[in-house]
Amino acid sequence: MDEGVRNSLITLLTEVFEGIHGNGTWFVDTGKDERFFGRTDVSAAVASWNPGPGLNSIAAHTIHIRFAVSLHNLFARGEKPTMDWEGSWKIQAVDEAAWAEIRRTLRAEYEEVKGHFATRGFENPDSVTSAFALVAHVAFHLGAIKHLRAFATRTSRPSS
């Protein structure tokens, strides 16, 4: 893969998870919480708050993203994982210990995927497409979590 494309992927992945570094941003707002790790830095009660029937909590979005990142890592290691997307949404509520573990394991999966982006050859077009899709997928769920937190705050739900 072209080094410029690789660097762009790493920049976008870093921005969506960690926020901006330096003077500008490509797509997230410039606030300190405008990153996946910042938006999920809430209590288990806030993470578990369900906005209504058929809708998902912050915890569920976070677990779903952890699943997506772990899939990318499994494929990068040459494994053929089971893709239980529906199952990645089953847990909606967590206690503080479970929530801390979910966030810890997501960060570990993220660090691994970031390493794959930096070192893997992206041998085929599917791996490149998967990398770009992962950034877009996380950005989508970052937006959903942003709105969930804002709504919870406006409606006097548990705050972070």
Coordinates of all heavy atoms in Angstrom, one line a residue, residues 8-57:
S8 N -2.7 8.2 6.1 CA -4.0 8.7 6.2 C -5.0 7.9 7.0 O -5.7 8.4 7.8 CB -4.6 8.9 4.8 OG -3.9 9.9 4.1
L9 N -4.9 6.6 6.8 CA -5.7 5.6 7.6 C -5.4 5.7 9.0 O -6.3 5.8 9.9 CB -5.5 4.2 7.1 CG -6.3 3.8 5.9 CD1 -5.8 2.4 5.4 CD2 -7.8 3.7 6.2
I10 N -4.1 5.8 9.4 CA -3.7 5.9 10.8 C -4.2 7.2 11.4 O -4.7 7.2 12.5 CB -2.2 5.7 10.9 CG1 -1.8 4.2 10.5 CG2 -1.7 6.0 12.3 CD1 -0.3 4.0 10.4
T11 N -4.1 8.3 10.6 CA -4.5 9.6 11.1 C -6.0 9.6 11.4 O -6.5 10.0 12.4 CB -4.2 10.7 10.0 OG1 -2.8 10.8 9.9 CG2 -4.8 12.0 10.4
L12 N -6.8 9.0 10.5 CA -8.3 9.0 10.7 C -8.7 8.0 11.8 O -9.6 8.4 12.6 CB -9.0 8.6 9.3 CG -8.8 9.6 8.2 CD1 -9.4 9.1 6.9 CD2 -9.4 11.0 8.6
L13 N -8.1 6.9 11.9 CA -8.4 6.0 13.0 C -8.0 6.6 14.3 O -8.8 6.5 15.3 CB -7.6 4.7 12.8 CG -7.8 3.6 13.8 CD1 -9.2 2.9 13.6 CD2 -6.7 2.6 13.9
T14 N -6.9 7.3 14.4 CA -6.5 7.9 15.6 C -7.4 9.0 16.0 O -7.9 9.2 17.1 CB -5.0 8.5 15.5 OG1 -4.1 7.4 15.2 CG2 -4.6 9.2 16.8
E15 N -7.9 9.8 15.0 CA -8.8 10.9 15.3 C -10.1 10.4 15.8 O -10.6 11.0 16.8 CB -9.0 11.7 14.0 CG -9.9 12.9 14.2 CD -10.0 13.9 13.0 OE1 -8.9 14.1 12.4 OE2 -11.1 14.3 12.8
V16 N -10.7 9.4 15.2 CA -12.0 8.9 15.7 C -11.9 8.3 17.1 O -12.9 8.5 17.8 CB -12.6 7.9 14.6 CG1 -12.0 6.6 14.7 CG2 -14.1 7.9 14.9
F17 N -10.8 7.7 17.4 CA -10.7 7.1 18.8 C -10.1 8.0 19.8 O -10.6 8.1 20.9 CB -9.9 5.8 18.7 CG -10.7 4.6 18.4 CD1 -10.6 4.0 17.1 CD2 -11.6 4.0 19.3 CE1 -11.3 2.9 16.8 CE2 -12.3 2.9 19.0 CZ -12.2 2.3 17.7
E18 N -9.0 8.7 19.4 CA -8.3 9.5 20.4 C -8.5 11.0 20.3 O -8.1 11.7 21.2 CB -6.8 9.2 20.2 CG -6.4 7.8 20.5 CD -4.9 7.6 20.2 OE1 -4.1 8.5 20.7 OE2 -4.5 6.6 19.6
G19 N -9.1 11.4 19.2 CA -9.3 12.9 19.0 C -8.2 13.5 18.2 O -7.3 12.7 17.7
I20 N -8.2 14.8 18.1 CA -7.2 15.4 17.2 C -5.9 15.6 17.9 O -5.8 15.6 19.1 CB -7.7 16.8 16.7 CG1 -7.9 17.7 17.9 CG2 -9.0 16.7 15.9 CD1 -8.2 19.2 17.5
H21 N -4.8 15.5 17.1 CA -3.5 15.8 17.5 C -2.9 16.9 16.6 O -3.0 16.8 15.4 CB -2.6 14.5 17.4 CG -3.1 13.4 18.3 ND1 -2.8 13.4 19.6 CD2 -3.9 12.4 18.0 CE1 -3.4 12.3 20.2 NE2 -4.0 11.7 19.2
G22 N -2.5 18.0 17.2 CA -2.0 19.1 16.4 C -3.1 20.2 16.3 O -3.9 20.4 17.2
N23 N -3.0 20.9 15.2 CA -3.8 22.1 15.0 C -5.2 21.9 14.4 O -6.0 22.8 14.5 CB -3.1 23.1 14.2 CG -1.8 23.6 14.9 OD1 -1.8 23.6 16.1 ND2 -0.8 23.8 14.2
G24 N -5.5 20.8 13.8 CA -6.7 20.7 13.0 C -7.4 19.3 13.2 O -6.9 18.4 13.9
T25 N -8.5 19.2 12.5 CA -9.3 18.0 12.5 C -9.8 17.7 11.1 O -10.0 18.6 10.3 CB -10.4 18.1 13.5 OG1 -11.2 17.0 13.5 CG2 -11.3 19.3 13.2
W26 N -10.0 16.5 10.8 CA -10.5 16.1 9.5 C -12.0 15.9 9.6 O -12.7 16.3 8.7 CB -9.9 14.8 9.0 CG -8.5 15.0 8.6 CD1 -7.4 14.6 9.3 CD2 -8.0 15.6 7.4 NE1 -6.2 15.0 8.6 CE2 -6.6 15.6 7.5 CE3 -8.7 16.2 6.3 CZ2 -5.8 16.1 6.4 CZ3 -7.9 16.7 5.3 CH2 -6.5 16.7 5.4
F27 N -12.6 15.4 10.7 CA -14.0 15.2 10.8 C -14.6 15.3 12.2 O -15.8 15.4 12.3 CB -14.4 13.9 10.1 CG -13.9 12.7 10.7 CD1 -14.6 12.0 11.6 CD2 -12.6 12.2 10.4 CE1 -14.1 10.8 12.2 CE2 -12.1 11.0 10.9 CZ -12.9 10.4 11.9
V28 N -13.9 15.2 13.2 CA -14.5 15.3 14.5 C -14.4 16.8 15.0 O -13.6 17.5 14.5 CB -13.8 14.4 15.6 CG1 -14.0 13.0 15.2 CG2 -12.4 14.8 15.9
D29 N -15.3 17.2 15.9 CA -15.3 18.5 16.5 C -14.0 18.6 17.3 O -13.4 17.6 17.7 CB -16.5 18.8 17.3 CG -17.8 18.8 16.5 OD1 -17.7 19.2 15.3 OD2 -18.8 18.6 17.0
T30 N -13.6 19.8 17.7 CA -12.4 20.0 18.4 C -12.4 19.9 19.9 O -11.4 20.0 20.6 CB -11.8 21.4 18.0 OG1 -12.8 22.4 18.4 CG2 -11.4 21.5 16.6
G31 N -13.6 19.6 20.5 CA -13.7 19.5 21.9 C -13.0 18.2 22.5 O -12.7 17.3 21.7
K32 N -12.7 18.2 23.7 CA -11.9 17.1 24.3 C -12.7 15.8 24.3 O -12.1 14.8 24.3 CB -11.5 17.5 25.7 CG -12.6 17.6 26.7 CD -12.1 17.9 28.1 CE -13.2 18.0 29.1 NZ -13.2 17.1 30.1
D33 N -14.0 15.9 24.3 CA -14.8 14.6 24.3 C -15.1 14.2 22.9 O -15.9 13.2 22.7 CB -16.1 14.8 25.1 CG -15.8 14.8 26.6 OD1 -14.7 14.3 27.0 OD2 -16.6 15.3 27.4
E34 N -14.7 14.9 21.9 CA -15.0 14.5 20.5 C -14.1 13.4 20.0 O -13.4 13.6 19.0 CB -14.9 15.8 19.6 CG -15.9 16.8 20.0 CD -17.4 16.3 20.0 OE1 -17.7 15.5 19.1 OE2 -18.2 16.7 20.8
R35 N -14.2 12.3 20.7 CA -13.5 11.1 20.3 C -14.2 10.0 20.9 O -14.9 10.1 21.9 CB -12.0 11.2 20.7 CG -11.9 11.4 22.2 CD -10.5 11.9 22.7 NE -10.6 12.3 24.0 CZ -10.4 11.6 25.1 NH1 -10.2 10.3 25.0 NH2 -10.5 12.1 26.3
F36 N -14.0 8.8 20.4 CA -14.8 7.6 20.9 C -14.4 7.4 22.4 O -15.3 7.2 23.2 CB -14.5 6.4 20.1 CG -15.5 5.3 20.2 CD1 -16.6 5.3 19.4 CD2 -15.5 4.4 21.2 CE1 -17.6 4.4 19.5 CE2 -16.5 3.5 21.4 CZ -17.6 3.4 20.5
F37 N -13.1 7.5 22.7 CA -12.7 7.2 24.1 C -13.3 8.3 25.0 O -13.6 8.0 26.2 CB -11.2 7.0 24.2 CG -10.7 5.8 23.6 CD1 -9.6 5.8 22.8 CD2 -11.4 4.6 23.7 CE1 -9.1 4.6 22.2 CE2 -10.9 3.4 23.1 CZ -9.8 3.4 22.4
G38 N -13.4 9.5 24.6 CA -13.9 10.6 25.4 C -15.4 10.5 25.6 O -15.9 10.7 26.7
R39 N -16.1 10.1 24.5 CA -17.6 10.0 24.6 C -18.0 8.8 25.4 O -19.1 8.8 25.9 CB -18.2 9.9 23.2 CG -18.2 11.2 22.4 CD -19.2 12.1 23.0 NE -19.1 13.4 22.4 CZ -19.8 14.5 22.8 NH1 -20.6 14.4 23.8 NH2 -19.6 15.6 22.2
T40 N -17.2 7.8 25.5 CA -17.6 6.7 26.3 C -17.0 6.7 27.8 O -17.1 5.8 28.5 CB -17.1 5.3 25.7 OG1 -15.7 5.4 25.5 CG2 -17.8 5.1 24.3
D41 N -16.4 7.9 28.1 CA -15.9 8.1 29.5 C -17.1 8.6 30.3 O -17.2 9.8 30.7 CB -14.8 9.1 29.4 CG -14.1 9.2 30.8 OD1 -14.3 8.3 31.6 OD2 -13.3 10.2 31.0
V42 N -18.0 7.7 30.6 CA -19.2 8.0 31.4 C -19.4 6.9 32.4 O -18.7 5.8 32.3 CB -20.5 8.1 30.5 CG1 -20.4 9.3 29.6 CG2 -20.7 6.8 29.8
S43 N -20.3 7.1 33.4 CA -20.6 6.0 34.3 C -21.3 4.9 33.7 O -21.9 5.0 32.6 CB -21.4 6.6 35.5 OG -22.7 6.9 35.0
A44 N -21.3 3.7 34.4 CA -22.1 2.6 33.9 C -23.6 2.9 33.8 O -24.2 2.4 32.9 CB -21.8 1.4 34.8
A45 N -24.1 3.7 34.7 CA -25.5 4.1 34.7 C -25.8 4.9 33.4 O -26.8 4.6 32.7 CB -25.8 4.9 35.9
V46 N -25.0 5.8 33.0 CA -25.2 6.6 31.8 C -25.0 5.6 30.6 O -25.8 5.7 29.7 CB -24.2 7.8 31.7 CG1 -24.3 8.4 30.3 CG2 -24.5 8.8 32.8
A47 N -24.0 4.8 30.6 CA -23.7 3.9 29.5 C -24.9 2.9 29.3 O -25.2 2.5 28.2 CB -22.4 3.1 29.7
S48 N -25.6 2.6 30.4 CA -26.7 1.6 30.3 C -28.0 2.2 30.0 O -29.0 1.5 29.8 CB -26.7 0.9 31.6 OG -25.5 0.2 31.9
W49 N -28.1 3.5 30.1 CA -29.4 4.2 29.9 C -29.9 3.9 28.5 O -29.2 4.0 27.5 CB -29.3 5.7 30.1 CG -30.6 6.4 29.7 CD1 -31.7 6.4 30.5 CD2 -30.8 7.2 28.6 NE1 -32.7 7.2 29.9 CE2 -32.1 7.7 28.7 CE3 -30.1 7.6 27.5 CZ2 -32.7 8.5 27.8 CZ3 -30.7 8.4 26.5 CH2 -32.0 8.8 26.7
N50 N -31.2 3.4 28.4 CA -31.8 3.0 27.1 C -32.8 4.1 26.7 O -33.7 4.4 27.5 CB -32.5 1.7 27.3 CG -32.9 1.2 25.9 OD1 -33.6 1.9 25.2 ND2 -32.5 0.0 25.6
P51 N -32.6 4.7 25.5 CA -33.4 5.8 25.1 C -34.8 5.4 24.7 O -35.7 6.3 24.5 CB -32.7 6.4 23.9 CG -31.9 5.2 23.4 CD -31.5 4.4 24.6
G52 N -35.1 4.1 24.6 CA -36.5 3.7 24.2 C -36.5 2.4 23.5 O -35.5 1.8 23.2
P53 N -37.7 1.8 23.3 CA -37.8 0.5 22.7 C -37.1 0.5 21.3 O -37.3 1.4 20.5 CB -39.3 0.4 22.6 CG -39.9 1.3 23.6 CD -39.0 2.4 23.7
G54 N -36.4 -0.6 21.1 CA -35.7 -0.8 19.8 C -34.5 0.1 19.6 O -33.9 0.0 18.6
L55 N -34.1 0.9 20.6 CA -32.9 1.7 20.5 C -31.8 1.2 21.4 O -32.1 0.4 22.3 CB -33.3 3.2 20.9 CG -34.3 3.8 20.1 CD1 -34.7 5.2 20.6 CD2 -33.9 3.9 18.6
N56 N -30.6 1.5 21.2 CA -29.5 1.0 21.9 C -28.8 2.0 22.8 O -28.7 3.1 22.5 CB -28.5 0.4 20.9 CG -29.0 -0.7 20.1 OD1 -29.3 -1.8 20.6 ND2 -29.2 -0.5 18.8
S57 N -28.3 1.4 23.9 CA -27.5 2.2 24.9 C -26.1 2.5 24.4 O -25.6 1.9 23.4 CB -27.5 1.4 26.2 OG -26.6 0.3 26.0

